[in-house]
């Protein structure tokens, strides 16, 4: 057994002493030399993840060498740090989720001496035509894994790839904790309706205000998020809109996503993915907005279909659904002589369905009958596709080029037979 006599942090002139005491408190609970070594290193890694230090070095000293009153065999733990510059300006380009953009940001680190980050950013891209954001984040109990975030944003989103409109969203969002509890109040404006837009999209034009509370839980156990060979991933999101009586959108929305990956032989990997969601409108006066509905299909979703190609459409415009599921199984194996390269041959089978949920059934016998009817329609005629292709793991995104063969399609689905390119961070 041993005793930690003192913990010191040097080189942190801009960081509050109370914050550092909280961050290093676990070291004082160590009872053995092994505990001191492991805990002090863990604390050093957490300090680095706060993004306010260029480096953190741990030094263990015999306390008796500097303090004659120290308990015998006690240890002093010293952290020698170098703080990063308070101001950071970045510009760059980003590719992901079938979108490319240019971005610039200005960040102030350690604004109030507690690892706070104040960031202002702007980006211009192919789908998000323009986005401006102002955000302030602060760690809870000096932990990089649990933060409080306040965010104000202005986003112009181009949806013409699957429908005939653009959407302008202005709002504020606050995020709390490791489980990501969010409150957001967003004013949305659907405008710039194309001349060829369907009547359904024209009816959606105008302003909506959404006040919602949501909770997201993520369990990440994959060895690589872009090209995993082992592990699993689970993400659950629950949202309630109409909080505090604000806004004209009132609904409950639930979504779950799960993946399982397993190496069966050599470097051949079998991956299974499934996603499902359900949206229930609580308002008698206002329909759900196309901004809140689910969209299924595309190279990052169900391959072999256009983006948003599965589910309700009015002419060429995707209207989104209130309930959906999608699932897929993929087999990835190295190419001969390219076993050590981040390139894999890819074969897949995937499918899904996306339907509207009405308050009345087919025979108009009430809400319960309607929900049962629509849940049956989810599985009655799924849209299914198969294909083969290549997958490349780039350092910033996963790139897929597949030859897709749609096997079945529901009425109104937009199929995509032939080559389909996908670039993104998350795939089915």
């Amino acid at each position: 057994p041993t005793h930690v006599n003192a913990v010191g942090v040097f080189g942190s002139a801009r960081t509050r002493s109370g914050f550092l005491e909280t961050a290093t408190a676990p070291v004082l609970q160590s009872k053995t030399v092994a505990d001191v070594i492991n805990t002090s290193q863990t604390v050093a890694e957490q300090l680095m993840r706060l993004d306010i230090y260029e480096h953190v070095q741990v030094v263990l000293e015999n306390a008796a060498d500097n303090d004659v009153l120290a308990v015998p065999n006690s240890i002093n733990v010293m952290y020698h740090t170098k703080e990063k510059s308070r101001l950071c300006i970045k510009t760059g380009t980003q590719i992901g989720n079938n979108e490319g953009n240019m971005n610039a940001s200005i960040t102030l680190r350690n604004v109030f001496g507690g690892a706070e980050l104040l960031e202002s950013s702007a980006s211009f891209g192919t789908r998000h035509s323009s986005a401006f954001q102002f955000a302030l984040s602060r760690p809870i109990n000096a932990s990089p894994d649990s933060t409080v975030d306040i965010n104000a944003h202005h986003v112009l989103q181009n949806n013409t790839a699957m429908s005939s409109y653009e959407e302008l969203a202005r709002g504020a969002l606050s995020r709390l904790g490791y489980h990501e509890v969010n409150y957001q109040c967003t004013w949305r404006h659907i405008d710039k309706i194309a001349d060829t837009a369907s009547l359904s999209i024209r009816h959606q034009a105008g302003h909506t205000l959404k006040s919602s509370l949501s909770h997201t839980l993520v369990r990440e156990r994959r060895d690589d998020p872009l090209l995993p060979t082992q592990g699993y991933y689970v993400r659950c999101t629950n949202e309630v809109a109409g909080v505090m009586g604000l806004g004209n959108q009132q609904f409950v929305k639930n979504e779950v996503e799960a993946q399982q990956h397993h190496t069966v032989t050599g470097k051949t990997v079998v991956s299974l993915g499934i996603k499902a969601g359900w949206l229930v409108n609580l308002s008698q006066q206002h329909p759900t907005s196309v901004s809140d509905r689910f969209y299924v299909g595309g190279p990052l979703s169900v391959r072999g279909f256009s983006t948003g190609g599965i589910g309700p459409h009015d002419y060429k415009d995707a209207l989104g659904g209130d309930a959906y599921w999608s699932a897929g199984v993929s087999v990835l194996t190295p190419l001969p002589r390219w076993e050590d390269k981040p390139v894999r041959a890819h074969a897949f089978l995937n499918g899904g369905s996306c339907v509207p949920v009405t308050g009345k059934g087919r025979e108009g016998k009430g809400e319960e009958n309607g929900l049962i009817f629509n849940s049956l329609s989810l599985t009655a005629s799924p849209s299914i596709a198969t294909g083969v292709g290549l997958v490349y793991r780039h350092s910033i995104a996963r790139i897929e080029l597949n030859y897709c063969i749609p096997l079945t399609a529901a009425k109104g689905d937009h199929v995509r037979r032939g080559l389909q390119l996908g670039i993104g961070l998350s795939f089915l």
Side-chain angles (χ1 to χ4, degrees):
T2 189
H3 171 75
V4 176
N5 179 66
V7 177
V9 181
F10 300 94
S12 296
R14 294 196 296 266
T15 307
R16 298 194 312 269
S17 58
F19 177 84
L20 295 174
E21 289 174 4
T22 302
T24 59
V27 178
L28 295 172
Q29 309 302 320
S30 304
K31 302 299 182 183
T32 66
V33 174
D35 285 345
V36 173
I37 294 173
N38 293 333
T39 305
S40 60
Q41 188 59 44
T42 299
V43 169
E45 292 171 357
Q46 291 182 335
L47 289 174
M48 284 296 297
R49 289 172 54 205
L50 293 171
D51 195 33
I52 60 174
Y53 296 111
E54 290 188 8
H55 66 78
V56 177
Q57 182 182 8
V58 185
V59 177
L60 303 183
E61 301 176 347
N62 186 349
D65 293 342
N66 299 310
D67 186 356
V68 294
L69 300 178
V71 176
N73 298 323
S74 60
I75 298 174
N76 288 340
V77 180
M78 301 291 116
Y79 290 94
H80 295 271
T81 68
K82 182 180 179 181
E83 293 180 317
K84 288 184 176 180
S85 171
R86 179 162 283 182
L87 177 65
C88 176
I89 301 176
K90 294 191 299 184
T91 60
T93 58
Q94 188 176 18
I95 297 176
N97 296 332
N98 272 17
E99 177 185 14
N101 64 51
M102 300 182 297
N103 55 75
S105 66
I106 300 177
T107 303
L108 289 176
R109 300 188 182 97
N110 213 8
V111 181
F112 306 114
E116 302 87 358
L117 293 179
L118 182 64
E119 182 178 40
S120 178
S121 62
S123 64
F124 303 90
T126 55
R127 184 180 177 190
H128 290 84
S129 301
S130 63
F132 302 92
Q133 177 176 279
F134 182 82
L136 174 65
S137 66
R138 177 184 182 275
I140 300 175
N141 292 327
S143 171
D145 296 316
S146 184
T147 61
V148 176
D149 299 274
I150 300 175
N151 173 308
H153 57 269
H154 173 110
V155 180
L156 177 62
Q157 182 167 308
N158 185 342
N159 293 304
T160 54
M162 61 182 183
S163 211
S164 303
Y165 68 93
E166 293 185 358
E167 179 183 0
L168 176 63
R170 305 181 185 93
L173 176 145
S174 61
R175 183 183 297 115
L176 172 65
Y178 179 75
H179 278 277
E180 195 170 308
V181 177
N182 296 338
Y183 170 76
Q184 67 171 324
C185 186
T186 305
W187 171 31
R188 286 98 54 96
H189 183 204
I190 293 177
D191 64 353
K192 296 188 178 179
I193 306 296
D195 294 338
T196 57
S198 63
L199 190 60
S200 297
I201 292 298
R202 294 182 184 277
H203 284 162
Q204 289 277 332
H207 300 270
T208 59
L209 178 65
K210 182 175 78 168
S211 170
S212 72
L213 185 67
S214 65
H215 170 259
T216 301
L217 175 63
V218 177
R219 189 77 169 178
E220 173 66 271
R221 291 296 182 268
R222 296 173 296 183
D223 56 354
D224 184 345
L226 295 181
L227 197 61
T229 61
Q230 294 285 352
Y232 67 91
Y233 172 82
V234 178
R235 185 176 188 272
C236 301
T237 303
N238 303 286
E239 181 181 12
V240 178
V243 176
M244 298 186 292
L246 299 177
N248 53 7
Q249 295 295 296
Q250 300 174 19
F251 60 81
V252 175
K253 184 177 182 180
N254 307 287
E255 188 172 19
V256 62
E257 176 184 2
Q259 296 179 11
Q260 177 71 51
H261 308 274
H262 183 66
T263 301
V264 292
T265 176
K267 293 186 177 181
T268 299
V269 178
V270 176
S271 298
L272 175 65
I274 185 169
K275 298 178 70 175
W278 189 275
L279 186 153
V280 178
N281 188 16
L282 303 178
S283 173
Q284 299 295 326
Q285 290 80 28
H286 302 283
T288 57
S289 169
V290 290
S291 306
D292 299 309
R293 297 174 190 161
F294 299 109
Y295 295 87
V296 180
L300 309 184
S301 176
V302 178
R303 306 170 185 88
F305 295 86
S306 300
T307 300
I310 296 176
H313 282 77
D314 188 350
Y315 185 46
K316 69 175 182 178
D317 294 330
L319 304 180
D322 299 314
Y324 86 99
W325 67 269
S326 59
V329 59
S330 298
V331 179
L332 296 97
T333 188
L335 297 173
R337 300 183 181 180
W338 287 40
E339 289 84 355
D340 297 329
K341 303 293 184 181
V343 181
R344 297 290 184 269
H346 179 219
F348 68 88
L349 175 67
N350 60 194
S353 184
C354 184
V355 300
V357 173
T358 61
K360 295 188 179 293
R362 179 167 38 183
E363 302 173 0
K365 294 182 179 180
E367 184 173 355
E368 181 179 354
N369 184 50
L371 297 180
I372 293 175
F373 167 69
N374 283 282
S375 64
L376 291 175
S377 67
L378 269 174
T379 56
S381 56
S383 305
I384 302 173
T386 187
V388 295
L390 295 174
V391 174
Y392 174 68
R393 189 207 184 284
H394 193 271
S395 59
I396 60 173
R398 170 168 162 164
I399 303 173
E400 289 190 7
L401 181 62
N402 297 306
Y403 187 87
C404 304
I405 304 173
L407 301 178
T408 64
K411 182 180 179 180
D413 286 352
H414 292 191
V415 299
R416 181 73 179 270
R417 184 184 183 93
L419 291 176
Q420 190 173 39
L421 176 67
I423 304 174
L425 305 176
S426 178
F427 286 78
L428 181 64

